[in-house]
């Protein structure tokens, strides 16, 4: 994608459960344009996978979005699409949700960092479990 077309200051998009999204909206990241397009998606147990994928791909295609935050449980539902996203911007960051504990072993960015450092994340996680 041509970076020259991106604004210098981009929006943050969020996909997650109602509590998580509401918290970020209260912090001021919410945006709705004149056509009603938003930079957030609230998901619950009735949200279809296709709707999540559609929103994720839509956020990835928008030039005004620089970061996509997605709760790790929702990210697990669209792992294939997240893995296929190779662009640096928008950056996709997985965050914990109120309902589920964050698992760094499932986070592709953490895995990538460990690989770049020449470390084995699975081995380190096993060692952490043994310490407990």
């Amino acid at each position: 994608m041509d970076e020259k077309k991106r604004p210098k200051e981009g929006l943050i998009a969020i996909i997650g459960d109602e509590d998580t999204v509401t918290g970020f909206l209260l912090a001021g990241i919410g945006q709705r344009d004149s056509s009603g397009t938003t930079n957030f998606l609230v998901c619950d147990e009735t949200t279809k996978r296709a709707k999540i994928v559609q929103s994720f791909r839509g956020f990835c295609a928008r030039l005004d979005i620089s970061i996509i935050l997605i709760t790790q449980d929702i990210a697990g539902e669209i792992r294939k699409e997240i893995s296929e996203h190779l662009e640096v911007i928008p950056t996709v960051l997985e965050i914990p949700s109120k309902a589920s504990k964050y698992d760094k072993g499932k986070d592709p960015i953490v895995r990538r960092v460990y690989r770049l450092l020449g470390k084995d994340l699975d081995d380190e996680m096993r060692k952490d479990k043994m310490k407990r």
Side-chain angles (χ1 to χ4, degrees), residues 7-108:
K8 289 188 182 216
E9 295 181 10
L11 297 173
I12 297 173
I14 183 155
I15 302 172
D17 60 89
E18 184 175 19
D19 290 340
T20 303
V21 172
T22 300
F24 278 94
L25 294 179
L26 289 171
I29 73 157
Q31 184 261 353
R32 180 183 306 265
D33 66 16
S34 59
S35 66
T37 304
T38 63
N39 64 331
F40 57 90
L41 174 67
V42 176
C43 301
D44 60 22
E45 58 278 346
T46 64
T47 306
K48 303 280 188 224
R49 182 182 184 284
K51 176 66 176 165
I52 300 168
V53 169
Q54 177 187 18
S55 291
F56 177 76
R57 287 186 176 152
F59 293 154
C60 288
R62 286 178 54 180
L63 294 176
D64 62 338
I65 291 182
S66 297
I67 298 171
I68 301 171
L69 301 175
I70 183 167
T71 56
Q72 197 170 53
D73 52 339
I74 304 293
E77 294 183 37
I78 63 165
R79 181 68 57 209
K80 178 180 177 279
E81 288 76 8
I82 291 173
S83 297
E84 290 171 352
H85 176 69
L86 302 176
E87 301 292 327
V88 174
I89 298 177
T91 300
V92 179
L93 299 174
E94 294 184 22
I95 60 173
S97 69
K98 182 178 171 182
S100 61
K101 185 178 173 187
Y102 177 75
D103 180 0
K104 69 180 180 181
K106 293 180 181 176
D107 191 330

